[in-house]
Amino acid sequence: TMTGGAVTLGADITVDTTNNGGSPTGAAVNFSGSTSTISGSQRLTLRAGTAGAVTLGGTVGSIPLSSLTITGNSITQSSNVKGPAKAR
């Protein structure tokens, strides 16, 4: 799974290369390049499996995500990850 540009989430999203566990080794999930930003006040789940790598090249949460869950053999994050503001 790859993208090279900005992604704005309009709903909760799961990217699952394991076919819901049916293929546990999975595959790579790449949001490559510094312009590959992910934003939107939604939940994002990335599942790359036991052999898949997750690569996040740009800022995650320029509009803060409500949650971010990542599983994979390796995870590479090249920029900032921003979550929701916490109430004080």
Side-chain angles (χ1 to χ4, degrees):
T1 305
M2 290 187 76
T3 184
V7 175
T8 301
L9 305 179
D12 294 345
I13 299 292
T14 297
V15 176
D16 184 356
T17 65
T18 71
N19 192 27
N20 204 25
S23 179
T25 55
V29 175
N30 296 304
F31 291 88
S32 59
S34 60
T35 61
S36 296
T37 60
I38 305 169
S39 63
S41 55
Q42 309 295 330
R43 284 179 241 168
L44 176 61
T45 302
L46 305 174
R47 295 183 189 139
T50 59
V54 177
T55 303
L56 302 171
T59 299
V60 176
S62 53
I63 298 171
L65 303 176
S66 63
S67 71
L68 174 63
T69 304
I70 302 173
T71 56
N73 183 48
S74 66
I75 299 167
T76 303
Q77 166 52 49
S78 301
S79 194
N80 295 327
V81 174
K82 300 174 184 175
K86 295 185 178 187
R88 296 185 187 253

Coordinates of all heavy atoms in Angstrom, one line a residue:
T1 N 0.9 -1.2 0.0 CA 0.0 0.0 0.0 C 0.9 1.2 0.0 O 1.8 1.3 0.8 CB -0.9 0.0 1.3 OG1 -1.6 -1.2 1.3 CG2 -1.8 1.2 1.2
M2 N 0.7 2.1 -0.9 CA 1.6 3.3 -1.0 C 0.8 4.6 -1.4 O -0.2 4.5 -2.1 CB 2.6 3.1 -2.1 CG 3.7 2.1 -1.8 SD 5.0 2.1 -3.0 CE 5.9 3.6 -2.5
T3 N 1.3 5.7 -0.9 CA 0.8 7.0 -1.3 C 1.9 7.9 -1.3 O 2.9 7.8 -0.5 CB -0.4 7.5 -0.4 OG1 -0.8 8.7 -0.9 CG2 0.0 7.7 1.0
G4 N 1.9 8.9 -2.1 CA 3.0 9.9 -2.2 C 2.5 11.3 -1.9 O 3.3 12.2 -2.2
G5 N 1.3 11.5 -1.5 CA 0.8 12.8 -1.3 C 0.0 13.0 0.0 O 0.0 12.1 0.8
A6 N -0.6 14.1 0.2 CA -1.4 14.3 1.4 C -2.6 13.5 1.5 O -3.3 13.3 0.5 CB -1.7 15.8 1.4
V7 N -2.9 13.0 2.7 CA -4.1 12.2 2.9 C -4.9 12.9 4.1 O -4.3 13.2 5.1 CB -3.8 10.8 3.3 CG1 -5.0 10.0 3.7 CG2 -3.0 10.1 2.2
T8 N -6.2 13.2 3.9 CA -7.0 13.8 4.9 C -8.1 12.8 5.2 O -8.9 12.4 4.3 CB -7.6 15.1 4.5 OG1 -6.6 16.0 4.2 CG2 -8.5 15.7 5.6
L9 N -8.2 12.3 6.4 CA -9.2 11.3 6.8 C -10.5 11.9 7.0 O -10.6 12.9 7.8 CB -8.7 10.5 8.0 CG -7.3 9.9 8.0 CD1 -7.0 9.2 9.3 CD2 -7.2 8.9 6.9
G10 N -11.5 11.4 6.4 CA -12.9 11.8 6.6 C -13.7 10.9 7.5 O -14.8 11.2 7.8
A11 N -13.1 9.8 7.8 CA -13.7 8.7 8.7 C -12.6 7.9 9.3 O -11.4 8.0 8.9 CB -14.6 7.8 7.8
D12 N -12.9 7.1 10.2 CA -11.9 6.2 10.8 C -11.5 5.2 9.7 O -12.3 4.7 8.9 CB -12.6 5.3 12.0 CG -12.9 6.2 13.2 OD1 -12.5 7.4 13.2 OD2 -13.7 5.7 14.0
I13 N -10.2 5.0 9.6 CA -9.6 4.2 8.5 C -8.7 3.1 9.1 O -7.9 3.4 10.0 CB -8.8 5.0 7.6 CG1 -9.6 6.1 6.9 CG2 -8.0 4.2 6.5 CD1 -10.6 5.6 5.9
T14 N -8.8 1.9 8.5 CA -7.8 0.8 8.8 C -7.2 0.4 7.5 O -7.9 0.0 6.6 CB -8.5 -0.4 9.5 OG1 -9.0 0.0 10.8 CG2 -7.6 -1.5 9.7
V15 N -5.9 0.4 7.4 CA -5.2 -0.2 6.3 C -4.6 -1.5 6.8 O -3.7 -1.5 7.7 CB -4.0 0.8 5.8 CG1 -3.2 0.1 4.7 CG2 -4.6 2.1 5.4
D16 N -5.0 -2.6 6.3 CA -4.7 -3.9 6.9 C -4.2 -4.8 5.7 O -4.9 -5.3 4.9 CB -5.9 -4.6 7.5 CG -5.6 -5.9 8.2 OD1 -4.4 -6.4 8.1 OD2 -6.5 -6.5 8.8
T17 N -2.8 -5.0 5.7 CA -2.3 -5.9 4.6 C -2.2 -7.3 5.0 O -1.7 -8.2 4.2 CB -0.8 -5.4 4.3 OG1 0.0 -5.6 5.4 CG2 -0.8 -3.9 3.8
T18 N -2.9 -7.7 6.1 CA -2.9 -9.1 6.6 C -4.2 -9.8 6.2 O -4.4 -10.9 6.6 CB -2.7 -9.2 8.1 OG1 -3.8 -8.7 8.8 CG2 -1.4 -8.5 8.6
N19 N -5.1 -9.1 5.6 CA -6.4 -9.6 5.3 C -7.1 -10.1 6.6 O -7.6 -11.2 6.7 CB -6.4 -10.8 4.3 CG -7.7 -11.2 3.7 OD1 -8.6 -10.4 3.7 ND2 -7.8 -12.4 3.3
N20 N -7.1 -9.1 7.6 CA -7.8 -9.4 8.9 C -7.2 -10.6 9.6 O -7.9 -11.4 10.2 CB -9.3 -9.5 8.7 CG -10.0 -9.1 10.0 OD1 -9.4 -8.4 10.9 ND2 -11.2 -9.6 10.2
G21 N -5.8 -10.8 9.4 CA -5.1 -11.9 10.1 C -5.1 -13.1 9.2 O -4.3 -14.1 9.6
G22 N -5.7 -13.2 8.1 CA -5.7 -14.4 7.2 C -4.4 -14.6 6.6 O -4.0 -15.7 6.2
S23 N -3.6 -13.5 6.4 CA -2.2 -13.6 5.9 C -1.3 -12.9 6.8 O -1.0 -11.7 6.6 CB -2.2 -13.0 4.5 OG -0.9 -13.0 4.0
P24 N -0.9 -13.5 8.0 CA -0.2 -12.8 9.0 C 1.1 -12.1 8.7 O 1.5 -11.2 9.3 CB 0.0 -13.9 10.1 CG -0.4 -15.2 9.5 CD -1.1 -15.0 8.2
T25 N 1.8 -12.6 7.6 CA 3.0 -11.9 7.2 C 2.8 -10.5 6.7 O 3.6 -9.7 6.9 CB 3.8 -12.7 6.2 OG1 3.0 -13.0 5.1 CG2 4.3 -14.0 6.8
G26 N 1.6 -10.3 6.1 CA 1.3 -8.9 5.6 C 2.2 -8.4 4.5 O 2.8 -9.2 3.8
A27 N 2.2 -7.1 4.4 CA 3.0 -6.4 3.4 C 3.3 -5.0 3.8 O 2.7 -4.6 4.8 CB 2.3 -6.5 2.0
A28 N 4.1 -4.3 3.1 CA 4.5 -2.9 3.5 C 3.3 -2.0 3.4 O 2.5 -2.1 2.5 CB 5.6 -2.5 2.6
V29 N 3.4 -1.0 4.3 CA 2.4 0.2 4.2 C 3.4 1.4 4.1 O 4.1 1.6 5.1 CB 1.5 0.3 5.4 CG1 0.7 1.5 5.4 CG2 0.7 -1.0 5.5
N30 N 3.3 2.1 3.0 CA 4.2 3.3 2.8 C 3.5 4.6 2.6 O 2.7 4.6 1.6 CB 5.2 3.0 1.7 CG 6.1 1.9 1.9 OD1 6.8 1.9 2.9 ND2 6.0 0.9 1.0
F31 N 3.7 5.5 3.4 CA 3.3 6.9 3.1 C 4.6 7.6 3.0 O 5.2 8.1 3.9 CB 2.5 7.5 4.3 CG 1.1 6.9 4.4 CD1 0.9 5.8 5.2 CD2 0.0 7.5 3.7 CE1 -0.4 5.2 5.3 CE2 -1.2 6.9 3.9 CZ -1.4 5.8 4.6
S32 N 5.2 7.6 1.7 CA 6.6 8.0 1.5 C 6.7 9.4 1.1 O 5.8 10.0 0.5 CB 7.2 7.1 0.5 OG 6.5 7.1 -0.7
G33 N 7.8 10.0 1.4 CA 8.1 11.4 1.0 C 7.6 12.4 2.0 O 6.6 12.2 2.8
S34 N 8.3 13.5 2.1 CA 8.0 14.5 3.1 C 6.6 15.2 2.9 O 6.0 15.8 3.8 CB 9.0 15.6 3.2 OG 9.2 16.2 2.0
T35 N 6.0 15.1 1.7 CA 4.7 15.7 1.4 C 3.6 14.7 1.7 O 2.4 15.0 1.5 CB 4.6 16.2 0.0 OG1 4.8 15.1 -0.9 CG2 5.6 17.3 -0.3
S36 N 3.9 13.5 2.2 CA 2.9 12.4 2.5 C 2.4 12.6 3.9 O 2.6 11.9 4.8 CB 3.5 11.0 2.4 OG 4.0 10.8 1.1
T37 N 1.6 13.7 4.0 CA 1.1 14.0 5.3 C -0.3 13.3 5.5 O -1.0 13.0 4.6 CB 0.8 15.5 5.5 OG1 0.0 16.0 4.5 CG2 2.2 16.3 5.4
I38 N -0.6 13.0 6.8 CA -1.8 12.3 7.1 C -2.5 13.2 8.2 O -1.9 13.5 9.2 CB -1.6 10.9 7.7 CG1 -0.8 10.1 6.7 CG2 -2.9 10.3 8.0 CD1 -0.3 8.8 7.4
S39 N -3.7 13.6 8.0 CA -4.4 14.5 8.9 C -5.9 14.2 8.9 O -6.4 13.5 8.1 CB -4.2 16.0 8.6 OG -4.7 16.3 7.3
G40 N -6.5 14.7 9.9 CA -8.0 14.6 10.1 C -8.3 14.1 11.5 O -7.5 13.3 12.0
S41 N -9.3 14.5 12.1 CA -9.6 14.2 13.5 C -10.3 12.8 13.6 O -11.4 12.7 14.1 CB -10.4 15.3 14.2 OG -11.5 15.5 13.4
Q42 N -9.7 11.8 13.0 CA -10.2 10.4 13.0 C -9.2 9.4 13.5 O -8.1 9.8 13.8 CB -10.6 10.1 11.5 CG -11.4 11.1 10.8 CD -12.8 11.2 11.3 OE1 -13.4 10.3 11.9 NE2 -13.4 12.4 11.2
R43 N -9.6 8.2 13.6 CA -8.7 7.1 14.0 C -8.1 6.5 12.8 O -8.8 6.2 11.8 CB -9.5 6.0 14.8 CG -9.9 6.4 16.2 CD -10.6 5.3 16.8 NE -11.9 5.9 17.1 CZ -13.0 5.4 17.5 NH1 -13.1 4.1 17.6 NH2 -14.1 6.0 17.8
L44 N -6.8 6.2 12.9 CA -6.0 5.6 11.8 C -5.3 4.4 12.4 O -4.6 4.5 13.4 CB -5.0 6.5 11.2 CG -4.1 5.9 10.1 CD1 -4.9 5.4 8.9 CD2 -3.0 7.0 9.7
T45 N -5.6 3.2 11.8 CA -4.9 2.0 12.2 C -4.2 1.4 10.9 O -4.8 1.3 9.9 CB -6.0 0.9 12.6 OG1 -6.7 1.5 13.7 CG2 -5.3 -0.4 13.0
L46 N -2.9 1.1 11.1 CA -2.1 0.6 10.1 C -1.5 -0.8 10.5 O -0.9 -0.9 11.6 CB -0.9 1.5 9.8 CG -1.2 2.9 9.4 CD1 0.0 3.8 9.3 CD2 -2.0 3.0 8.1
R47 N -1.9 -1.9 9.8 CA -1.4 -3.2 10.1 C -0.6 -3.8 9.0 O -1.2 -4.1 7.9 CB -2.6 -4.1 10.4 CG -3.5 -3.7 11.6 CD -4.6 -4.7 11.8 NE -5.5 -4.2 12.8 CZ -6.8 -4.3 12.7 NH1 -7.4 -4.8 11.7 NH2 -7.6 -3.8 13.6
A48 N 0.7 -4.0 9.2 CA 1.6 -4.5 8.2 C 2.0 -5.9 8.4 O 2.7 -6.5 7.6 CB 2.8 -3.6 8.1
G49 N 1.5 -6.5 9.5 CA 1.8 -7.9 9.7 C 3.2 -8.2 10.3 O 3.9 -7.3 10.6
T50 N 3.6 -9.5 10.4 CA 4.8 -9.9 11.0 C 6.0 -9.6 10.1 O 7.1 -9.5 10.6 CB 4.8 -11.3 11.4 OG1 4.5 -12.1 10.2 CG2 3.7 -11.6 12.4
A51 N 5.8 -9.5 8.8 CA 6.9 -9.2 7.9 C 6.9 -7.8 7.2 O 7.9 -7.4 6.6 CB 7.0 -10.3 6.8
G52 N 5.8 -7.2 7.3 CA 5.6 -5.9 6.6 C 6.2 -4.7 7.4 O 6.2 -4.7 8.6
A53 N 6.7 -3.7 6.7 CA 7.3 -2.5 7.3 C 6.3 -1.4 7.1 O 5.6 -1.3 6.0 CB 8.6 -2.2 6.6
V54 N 6.2 -0.5 8.1 CA 5.4 0.7 8.0 C 6.3 1.9 7.9 O 7.2 2.0 8.7 CB 4.4 0.9 9.2 CG1 3.7 2.2 9.1 CG2 3.5 -0.3 9.3
T55 N 6.2 2.7 6.8 CA 7.0 3.9 6.6 C 6.1 5.1 6.6 O 5.2 5.2 5.7 CB 7.9 3.8 5.4 OG1 8.6 2.6 5.4 CG2 8.8 5.0 5.2
L56 N 6.4 6.1 7.4 CA 5.7 7.4 7.4 C 6.7 8.5 7.1 O 7.5 8.8 8.0 CB 5.0 7.6 8.8 CG 4.0 6.5 9.2 CD1 3.6 6.7 10.7 CD2 2.8 6.4 8.3
G57 N 6.6 9.1 6.0 CA 7.6 10.0 5.5 C 7.3 11.5 5.9 O 8.2 12.3 6.1
G58 N 6.0 11.8 6.1 CA 5.6 13.2 6.4 C 5.0 13.3 7.7 O 4.9 12.3 8.5
T59 N 4.5 14.5 8.1 CA 3.9 14.7 9.3 C 2.6 13.9 9.5 O 1.8 13.9 8.5 CB 3.6 16.2 9.5 OG1 4.8 16.9 9.5 CG2 2.9 16.5 10.8
V60 N 2.4 13.3 10.6 CA 1.1 12.6 10.9 C 0.4 13.5 11.9 O 0.9 13.7 13.0 CB 1.4 11.2 11.5 CG1 0.1 10.5 11.8 CG2 2.2 10.4 10.5
G61 N -0.8 13.9 11.5 CA -1.6 14.7 12.5 C -1.5 16.2 12.4 O -1.6 16.9 13.4
S62 N -1.2 16.7 11.2 CA -1.2 18.2 11.1 C -2.5 18.7 11.5 O -2.6 19.8 12.1 CB -0.8 18.6 9.7 OG -1.6 18.0 8.7
I63 N -3.6 18.0 11.2 CA -4.9 18.2 11.9 C -4.9 16.9 12.8 O -4.9 15.8 12.3 CB -6.1 18.1 10.9 CG1 -6.0 19.3 10.0 CG2 -7.4 18.1 11.7 CD1 -7.1 19.2 8.9
P64 N -4.8 17.0 14.1 CA -4.5 15.9 15.0 C -5.5 14.7 14.8 O -6.7 14.9 14.7 CB -4.6 16.5 16.4 CG -4.3 17.9 16.2 CD -4.8 18.3 14.9
L65 N -5.0 13.5 14.7 CA -5.8 12.3 14.7 C -6.3 12.1 16.1 O -5.7 12.4 17.1 CB -4.9 11.1 14.3 CG -4.2 11.2 12.9 CD1 -3.3 10.0 12.7 CD2 -5.1 11.4 11.8
S66 N -7.5 11.4 16.1 CA -8.0 11.0 17.5 C -7.3 9.9 18.0 O -7.1 9.7 19.3 CB -9.5 10.8 17.4 OG -9.8 9.7 16.6
S67 N -6.7 9.0 17.2 CA -5.8 7.9 17.7 C -5.0 7.3 16.5 O -5.5 7.5 15.3 CB -6.6 6.8 18.4 OG -7.3 6.0 17.4
L68 N -3.9 6.8 16.8 CA -3.0 6.2 15.8 C -2.5 4.8 16.3 O -1.9 4.8 17.4 CB -1.9 7.1 15.4 CG -0.8 6.5 14.5 CD1 -1.4 6.2 13.1 CD2 0.4 7.5 14.4
T69 N -2.8 3.7 15.6 CA -2.3 2.4 16.0 C -1.5 1.8 14.9 O -2.1 1.8 13.7 CB -3.5 1.5 16.4 OG1 -4.3 2.1 17.4 CG2 -3.0 0.1 16.9
I70 N -0.3 1.4 15.1 CA 0.6 0.8 14.1 C 1.1 -0.5 14.5 O 1.7 -0.6 15.6 CB 1.7 1.8 13.7 CG1 1.2 3.1 13.3 CG2 2.6 1.2 12.6 CD1 2.3 4.2 13.1
T71 N 1.0 -1.5 13.7 CA 1.7 -2.8 13.9 C 2.4 -3.2 12.7 O 1.9 -3.0 11.6 CB 0.7 -3.9 14.4 OG1 -0.3 -4.1 13.4 CG2 0.1 -3.6 15.7
G72 N 3.6 -3.8 12.9 CA 4.4 -4.3 11.7 C 5.7 -4.8 12.2 O 6.1 -4.7 13.4
N73 N 6.5 -5.3 11.3 CA 7.8 -5.8 11.6 C 8.8 -4.7 11.9 O 9.6 -4.8 12.8 CB 8.4 -6.7 10.4 CG 9.7 -7.3 10.7 OD1 9.9 -7.8 11.8 ND2 10.7 -7.1 9.8
S74 N 8.6 -3.6 11.2 CA 9.4 -2.4 11.5 C 8.6 -1.2 11.2 O 7.7 -1.2 10.4 CB 10.7 -2.3 10.7 OG 10.4 -2.2 9.4
I75 N 8.9 -0.1 12.0 CA 8.1 1.2 11.8 C 9.2 2.3 11.7 O 10.0 2.4 12.5 CB 7.2 1.5 13.0 CG1 6.2 0.3 13.1 CG2 6.5 2.8 12.8 CD1 5.4 0.3 14.4
T76 N 9.1 3.0 10.6 CA 10.0 4.2 10.3 C 9.2 5.4 10.3 O 8.3 5.5 9.4 CB 10.8 4.0 9.0 OG1 11.5 2.8 9.1 CG2 11.8 5.2 8.8
Q77 N 9.5 6.4 11.1 CA 8.7 7.6 11.2 C 9.7 8.8 11.0 O 10.6 8.9 11.8 CB 8.1 7.7 12.6 CG 7.5 9.1 13.0 CD 6.6 9.7 12.0 OE1 5.7 9.1 11.5 NE2 6.9 11.0 11.7
S78 N 9.6 9.5 9.9 CA 10.6 10.5 9.5 C 10.2 11.9 9.9 O 11.0 12.9 9.7 CB 10.8 10.5 8.0 OG 11.3 9.2 7.7
S79 N 9.1 12.2 10.5 CA 8.6 13.5 10.9 C 7.8 13.5 12.1 O 7.8 12.5 12.8 CB 7.8 14.1 9.7 OG 7.7 15.5 9.9
N80 N 7.1 14.5 12.4 CA 6.3 14.6 13.7 C 5.0 13.8 13.6 O 4.4 13.6 12.6 CB 5.9 16.1 13.9 CG 7.1 16.9 14.2 OD1 8.1 16.5 14.8 ND2 7.1 18.2 13.8
V81 N 4.6 13.3 14.8 CA 3.3 12.7 15.0 C 2.6 13.6 16.1 O 3.1 13.8 17.1 CB 3.4 11.3 15.5 CG1 2.0 10.7 15.8 CG2 4.1 10.4 14.5
K82 N 1.4 14.1 15.7 CA 0.7 15.0 16.6 C -0.6 14.4 16.9 O -1.4 13.9 16.1 CB 0.5 16.4 16.0 CG 1.8 17.1 15.6 CD 1.5 18.3 14.8 CE 2.8 19.0 14.4 NZ 2.5 20.1 13.6
G83 N -0.9 14.3 18.2 CA -2.2 13.8 18.7 C -3.1 14.9 19.1 O -2.8 16.1 19.0
P84 N -4.3 14.5 19.6 CA -5.3 15.5 20.1 C -4.8 16.3 21.3 O -4.0 15.7 22.1 CB -6.5 14.7 20.4 CG -6.0 13.3 20.6 CD -4.8 13.2 19.8
A85 N -5.2 17.5 21.5 CA -4.9 18.2 22.7 C -5.6 17.6 23.9 O -6.7 17.1 23.8 CB -5.4 19.7 22.5
K86 N -4.9 17.6 25.0 CA -5.4 17.0 26.2 C -6.1 18.1 27.1 O -5.5 19.2 27.2 CB -4.3 16.3 27.0 CG -3.7 15.1 26.2 CD -2.7 14.4 27.1 CE -2.2 13.2 26.3 NZ -1.4 12.3 27.0
A87 N -7.2 17.7 27.6 CA -7.9 18.6 28.5 C -7.1 18.8 29.8 O -6.5 17.8 30.3 CB -9.3 18.1 28.8
R88 N -7.1 20.0 30.3 CA -6.3 20.2 31.6 C -7.3 20.6 32.7 O -8.2 21.2 32.5 CB -5.3 21.3 31.4 CG -4.3 20.9 30.4 CD -3.2 21.9 30.3 NE -2.3 21.6 29.3 CZ -1.0 21.2 29.4 NH1 -0.6 21.0 30.6 NH2 -0.3 20.9 28.4

